[in-house]
Amino acid sequence: MNAELAQLLDRVRGLSEDVDFACVREWKGQGSGRKAVGYMPIYVPRELIHASGMLPVGVLGAGDRLEIIRGDAYFQSYICHIPRSTIEMALTGRLDVLDGMLFPSICDVIRNLSGMWRLLFPDRYVRYVDVPQNFSPDVGGAYWRRELEQLWSDFSGLAGRPRDARALARSLEIYNENRREIRRLYEARSLEPWLYPASELYLVTRAGSVLPPEEHTTLLRRYRELVAEESERREEDLSRIVLVGTFCEQPPLGLLLTLERAGCSIVDDDLLLGLRWLTEDVPEEGDPLDRLAAAYLECSCQTASVYQPEGRRGGWLVESVKRNQAEGVIFCAPSFCDPALLEQPMLVEALAAEGIPHTQFKYSENTGQFAVIREQAGTFSDSIRLWSEA
Amino acid sequence: MLLQKEMIGKHYRDLASAGDEGSKVVYTFVPGNLTELMGSFGVLPVLPEINALQSGMRKLSGDYISEAEKQGHSEDVCTYVKCDIGMLKKGNVGPTGLKLPEPDLLLLSYTGCFTFMKWFELLRQEYDCPVAMLHVPYQADGRIHDHHRDYIVEQLESEVIPKLEQVTGRRFDEERLRQRLALSAEAENDLVWVLESAKNVPSPIDAYFGGVYYIGPIFTAFRGTQAGVEYYQTLRAEIEERLAERRGPTTPEGELEEERYRLVMEGPPNWTSFREFWRMFSEEGAVVVASSYTKVGGLYDRGFRHDPERPLATLADYCMGCYTNLSLPARVDLIADYIREYRADGFMINSVKSCNSFSVGQLLMLRQLEERTGVPGGFIESDLVDPRYFSSANIKNRIESYLQMLEQKRGTAA
């Protein structure tokens, strides 16, 4: 492997493993008065944080890199893992680097976690981001614009900077460019998945949760250039699969590696969805706050936490399978994840109607044993290849 | 209790004959339900949570849940949903043995519970009918914002009312809605009086196990009806009499003779072993004097009344004010106030596996409440309608140990 690529991959792996947010501390140390605002999965309008001169920081759980000692005392056994590790990080001071924290409306766990934050850290800025589930511009749009306006004012107060429409317009462009680059990478992966292993692409994308967007865009471009120069990566006979259910609590990297070793080539996924939530550019003309509000209504991706006003669920998944020429779907949801697990029967039905093979298993962000998953994914991959040949 | 059984029985009979009578049927949820608005259109509500809990009490839910799990629903998710889906797959025969009608409309009042949204998306796959979605913003910072109220009113005007008009073929009649809201407020006054009668020592009611019977009509089909008003008048008269005679609450074993412990309860009850669960408290002389579960359909005791002068805005305020739509700090404040106002000896949390809306944060609530009130808390775990998650011996043991601890504390204080 090219030394620069190896170095780049080392760096992004380091960023994903760093539960102390050293790079955020470093960023803050580079200028006086710099502030950072954390956010849980999935979607928050990072543009508003950026336009206020602050760094948006994804808090995606601690994975398998932190022993949970205090966090478990706050949650019953039947609750997913990400709130445990998030509380653990907070109680051990790891999140002190954040000057505020956002909790998007993804499920009741994250919603109530916002209240726990208020109780545990009464002096910190906390905000529950209640995205609209009504997609009419005059109704849900008007509501969302008011919410965004409030958020922007909050950030302006937190940063000690007046709201600046030009700065916001600039931030919209910067994030447009960042999402465009991620989309390019996903498209490139779909065409030649052997060049972009999921375990790599995941880390490279995930770096965007802690790096400034400008720096992340540069990193994404460089990664693509370096991969193009790689001569050792050759096409392999693997099953092309879409991975679904991973939009909130992140699977351990070992799980992605296991799937690949089991013969699955991931050609689409819902990992890190918040970083690529808007599927199209926010338009360049008009009031920037209006544009950001409208973009949520018009070009949000589809996932379990978003209400779908019409039609049967799962159309987007079938479409993804077809667009990416996938041969099967792996439902890979965190244990006790309400959105993913309640959604799953509807997605299964949509796949069954199209004769698309699928398999399913659950994980936790700190899962350490992958033997069973490897066996199951391997069998699934083999069966797909057998069927394809038939 | 008998009157309520009669009312609910009649409602299920009305539902069973809805097709013959040409009545339209709307499925909706308890928290944030728009009963007065639906009533003004003359539709009959079906509340899937009520079907599920009734199925739980009648020992039917276990089979329904197994059926849903066989069909691919995860063991990790809400058992109300699986009970409902299982019941549907097994012929949609309601808890009273009568077949439930299919919905003409799914009114998704998305209030205080994420699962509601997925639940009705699942039902939408089963029925060929429209869905009206009402997104109710969460009271994350403990207050109702004007633009949140506006958002709900706009959804009522642009989404909910037009769909009710479409389904029923009737025009929205604001006057009829006002009349129903006035009836609601009347019943709400009497309900609050009944709930607050538990401030007396001894309490004439149990505000949790008995409370679920008291809230039944107002949380379901009878708010905004004359029948509802009369039910609460009758109930109030009964409790007034009980209070005057210094009689204790009704329990599964008859009237409680000695009130030994006054408790505040957080979390929904278990329904599959409801009477057994109740008995674990009543046998020890423990009376629940206030509970959060009886507020999932509205916090009337904190002053809210449906207001006929502002018909749609009052519905919006009602939706946002339901207990499960309150932030965790607001829930802690409420329970701490209950502990003081009702002179409780302790509080207990029944944490149910099915309901993350209730359960996430309860362990922190326990600590916060103990710190703020100086009153010890107890913690038990069960489920709503999955009989596999009611471990009788464990729960009984915990309750007894907790009450013994209260007794010991009392002795030390003396």
Side-chain angles (χ1 to χ4, degrees):
Chain A
M1 186 186 287
N2 173 301
E4 189 183 347
L5 178 60
Q7 199 178 13
L8 185 149
L9 292 173
D10 273 353
R11 182 176 179 222
V12 292
R13 180 190 276 266
L15 291 174
S16 88
E17 287 176 351
D18 180 13
V19 291
D20 292 305
F21 295 91
C23 72
V24 178
R25 290 173 204 278
E26 193 181 318
W27 181 86
K28 286 180 77 171
Q30 285 166 0
S32 70
R34 281 189 164 189
K35 291 190 171 167
V37 175
Y39 61 88
M40 298 285 296
I42 314 175
Y43 175 76
V44 299
R46 291 175 296 157
E47 292 86 342
L48 292 177
I49 303 171
H50 184 264
S52 306
M54 301 188 289
L55 181 68
V57 178
V59 178
L60 308 175
D64 55 0
R65 299 174 302 283
L66 194 62
E67 189 186 357
I68 307 302
I69 298 165
R70 299 167 75 179
D72 277 343
Y74 286 83
F75 298 99
Q76 298 89 322
S77 56
Y78 50 79
I79 290 165
C80 57
H81 203 272
I82 187 171
R84 299 166 197 276
S85 62
T86 305
I87 283 280
E88 185 77 26
M89 286 195 287
L91 292 175
T92 50
R94 291 176 163 89
L95 299 184
D96 289 353
V97 68
L98 303 176
D99 301 280
M101 190 74 184
L102 305 179
F103 296 85
S105 52
I106 169 172
C107 69
D108 294 330
V109 175
I110 302 296
R111 186 197 73 173
N112 285 13
L113 189 58
S114 74
M116 293 176 71
W117 225 260
R118 284 177 195 271
L119 288 168
L120 287 167
F121 311 107
D123 300 330
R124 296 190 200 168
Y125 173 76
V126 182
R127 174 89 187 198
Y128 177 66
V129 183
D130 207 349
V131 296
Q133 298 287 1
N134 176 298
F135 298 92
S136 157
D138 296 337
V139 183
Y143 157 80
W144 184 229
R145 197 191 184 286
R146 289 290 303 270
E147 291 288 297
L148 291 182
E149 209 170 304
Q150 183 60 55
L151 270 175
W152 197 12
S153 294
D154 288 357
F155 296 151
S156 159
L158 198 58
R161 271 190 199 196
R163 287 171 23 167
D164 179 349
R166 274 183 304 185
L168 179 56
R170 177 78 191 122
S171 296
L172 296 185
E173 284 172 27
I174 288 167
Y175 276 98
N176 274 345
E177 186 52 30
N178 183 257
R179 280 186 294 265
R180 269 202 296 274
E181 202 54 48
I182 297 176
R183 284 199 292 273
R184 283 187 196 117
L185 197 51
Y186 267 67
E187 282 160 18
R189 190 261 302 261
S190 178
L191 288 172
E192 298 173 301
W194 57 91
L195 292 180
Y196 306 93
S199 45
E200 265 183 25
L201 189 140
Y202 170 72
L203 293 174
V204 171
T205 311
R206 182 172 168 150
S209 65
V210 288
L211 293 177
E214 302 89 335
E215 190 180 342
H216 185 234
T217 304
T218 306
L219 184 144
L220 291 167
R221 282 199 190 112
R222 190 63 193 141
Y223 170 68
R224 227 155 31 89
E225 288 163 4
L226 291 170
V227 167
E229 292 165 14
E230 273 296 301
S231 54
E232 290 172 9
R233 300 187 175 190
R234 301 191 192 286
E235 187 169 359
E236 291 175 277
D237 179 25
L238 302 177
S239 302
R240 296 172 65 91
I241 66 118
V242 175
L243 188 69
V244 186
T246 55
F247 46 82
C248 180
E249 182 173 318
Q250 300 297 291
L253 189 64
L255 194 152
L256 298 178
L257 287 163
T258 298
L259 294 180
E260 290 177 323
R261 286 172 191 151
C264 298
S265 179
I266 298 169
V267 291
D268 198 13
D269 59 58
D270 60 359
L271 291 155
L272 304 163
L273 215 48
L275 301 183
R276 49 200 178 92
W277 186 266
L278 301 177
T279 54
E280 291 171 32
D281 284 356
V282 180
E284 289 181 8
E285 298 300 318
D287 173 74
L289 205 58
D290 284 346
R291 290 189 270 140
L292 187 60
Y296 183 85
L297 301 184
E298 292 161 11
C299 47
S300 281
C301 60
Q302 289 188 45
T303 188
S305 63
V306 179
Y307 180 63
Q308 184 183 316
E310 301 292 336
R312 298 178 80 79
R313 301 284 300 190
W316 62 270
L317 179 57
V318 171
E319 199 270 327
S320 167
V321 168
K322 290 180 177 170
R323 189 181 65 245
N324 294 293
Q325 297 177 309
E327 297 159 287
V329 169
I330 291 182
F331 291 104
C332 175
S335 294
F336 305 109
C337 174
D338 277 343
L341 295 170
L342 285 162
E343 175 93 340
Q344 203 163 290
M346 295 182 273
L347 300 184
V348 165
E349 199 179 305
L351 294 181
E354 297 285 332
I356 299 166
H358 55 86
T359 189
Q360 59 198 55
F361 50 78
K362 292 185 287 188
Y363 67 89
S364 164
E365 61 174 356
N366 65 343
T367 298
Q369 298 294 325
F370 303 109
V372 175
I373 291 175
R374 182 170 183 163
E375 200 171 307
Q376 190 179 339
T379 307
F380 180 62
S381 170
D382 290 347
S383 68
I384 284 177
R385 275 178 281 178
L386 280 171
W387 290 336
S388 302
E389 284 163 13
Chain B
M1 227 178 257
L2 292 175
L3 178 58
Q4 200 215 115
K5 265 188 178 169
E6 209 175 283
M7 289 163 78
I8 289 178
K10 181 181 178 305
H11 182 63
Y12 278 108
R13 287 195 296 280
D14 288 347
L15 286 171
S17 62
D20 300 335
E21 303 291 328
S23 306
K24 298 295 179 186
V25 173
V26 175
Y27 284 21
T28 195
F29 294 111
V30 170
N33 69 53
L34 304 170
T35 306
E36 297 87 352
L37 182 64
M38 290 188 285
S40 75
F41 279 95
V43 301
L44 292 171
V46 169
L47 298 131
E49 309 110 295
I50 303 296
N51 293 338
L53 74 86
Q54 292 273 346
S55 298
M57 290 174 105
R58 292 161 204 243
K59 313 287 182 200
L60 300 167
S61 55
D63 284 348
Y64 292 154
I65 291 166
S66 298
E67 179 65 27
E69 288 179 357
K70 259 187 257 168
Q71 304 220 4
H73 292 264
S74 169
E75 65 270 29
D76 289 358
V77 302
C78 173
T79 53
Y80 269 176
V81 177
K82 287 185 287 187
C83 182
D84 190 41
I85 299 278
M87 186 178 83
L88 168 64
K89 296 291 182 189
K90 283 182 166 251
N92 221 17
V93 174
T96 59
L98 299 170
K99 190 166 167 55
L100 290 169
E102 293 199 357
D104 296 290
L105 175 71
L106 294 168
L107 173 47
L108 170 47
S109 55
Y110 180 46
T111 302
C113 169
F114 171 81
T115 297
F116 285 164
M117 189 168 84
K118 306 314 292 178
W119 191 341
F120 269 17
E121 284 179 344
L122 284 160
L123 288 193
R124 185 172 67 185
Q125 309 266 109
E126 304 288 338
Y127 297 114
D128 181 24
C129 74
V131 185
M133 161 59 137
L134 178 68
H135 173 207
V136 175
Y138 182 56
Q139 273 199 55
D141 58 2
R143 66 192 182 96
I144 290 174
H145 294 263
D146 287 345
H147 79 280
H148 289 177
R149 181 184 297 114
D150 294 344
Y151 176 42
I152 297 175
V153 169
E154 283 159 12
Q155 290 177 83
L156 292 173
E157 289 171 339
S158 65
E159 169 81 2
V160 178
I161 291 174
K163 284 195 170 143
L164 281 165
E165 288 180 330
Q166 177 200 328
V167 162
T168 60
R170 291 167 75 160
R171 298 279 297 168
F172 170 54
D173 183 338
E174 191 173 286
E175 191 45 40
R176 203 179 294 146
L177 174 60
R178 286 179 198 275
Q179 287 164 8
R180 287 187 172 259
L181 292 167
L183 290 173
S184 294
E186 216 178 314
E188 287 155 6
N189 284 334
D190 283 334
L191 171 67
V192 170
W193 187 91
V194 168
L195 293 176
E196 293 192 335
S197 72
K199 288 181 179 171
N200 291 283
V201 183
S203 169
I205 64 163
D206 183 287
Y208 184 60
F209 297 104
V212 301
Y213 293 97
Y214 305 151
I215 57 170
I218 212 160
F219 280 13
T220 58
F222 300 97
R223 210 176 59 236
T225 67
Q226 192 55 41
V229 171
E230 286 165 12
Y231 171 82
Y232 285 99
Q233 284 170 346
T234 307
L235 177 65
R236 178 172 174 164
E238 188 185 308
I239 305 301
E240 277 175 339
E241 194 181 310
R242 192 177 284 283
L243 187 61
E245 294 168 3
R246 289 186 62 80
R247 286 158 58 199
T250 305
T251 76
E253 306 305 318
E255 204 164 278
L256 187 78
E257 288 182 1
E258 189 196 354
E259 175 186 286
R260 296 181 63 206
Y261 308 100
R262 297 169 63 82
L263 303 179
V264 169
M265 199 82 183
E266 149 73 10
N270 164 271
W271 299 109
T272 52
S273 303
F274 183 78
R275 290 177 80 82
E276 186 187 353
F277 190 31
W278 188 352
R279 211 177 290 122
M280 289 177 191
F281 289 83
S282 63
E283 279 177 355
E284 301 292 328
V287 177
V288 179
V289 289
S291 66
S292 57
Y293 177 70
T294 51
K295 312 298 158 22
V296 292
L299 266 81
Y300 304 112
D301 63 334
R302 305 332 262 182
F304 175 80
R305 293 291 180 278
H306 282 90
D307 179 3
E309 298 306 314
R310 30 197 295 280
L312 297 185
T314 200
L315 290 177
D317 288 352
Y318 167 68
C319 292
M320 283 188 283
C322 291
Y323 180 73
T324 45
N325 204 50
L326 302 184
S327 68
L328 224 54
R331 285 169 59 184
V332 170
D333 287 345
L334 182 73
I335 296 172
D337 287 347
Y338 282 163
I339 290 169
R340 281 189 285 264
E341 290 170 16
Y342 287 79
R343 289 179 282 173
D345 303 303
F347 69 94
M348 184 157 271
I349 295 175
N350 181 36
S351 180
V352 295
K353 174 182 174 286
S354 271
C355 186
N356 283 339
S357 175
F358 255 108
S359 302
V360 174
Q362 281 178 328
L363 286 160
L364 178 58
M365 288 174 77
L366 177 78
R367 291 176 209 185
Q368 294 261 330
L369 285 165
E370 284 185 336
E371 278 169 24
R372 283 170 57 172
T373 64
V375 162
F379 199 88
I380 47 180
E381 290 182 273
S382 67
D383 188 49
L384 295 167
V385 290
D386 192 335
R388 294 170 296 188
Y389 292 98
F390 188 84
S391 171
S392 180
N394 279 341
I395 292 173
K396 192 171 188 331
N397 191 19
R398 281 208 184 184
I399 292 170
E400 284 175 358
S401 305
Y402 174 70
L403 295 175
Q404 277 167 18
M405 185 265 287
L406 286 187
E407 190 64 46
Q408 205 171 12
K409 204 165 178 272
R410 211 179 257 169
T412 313

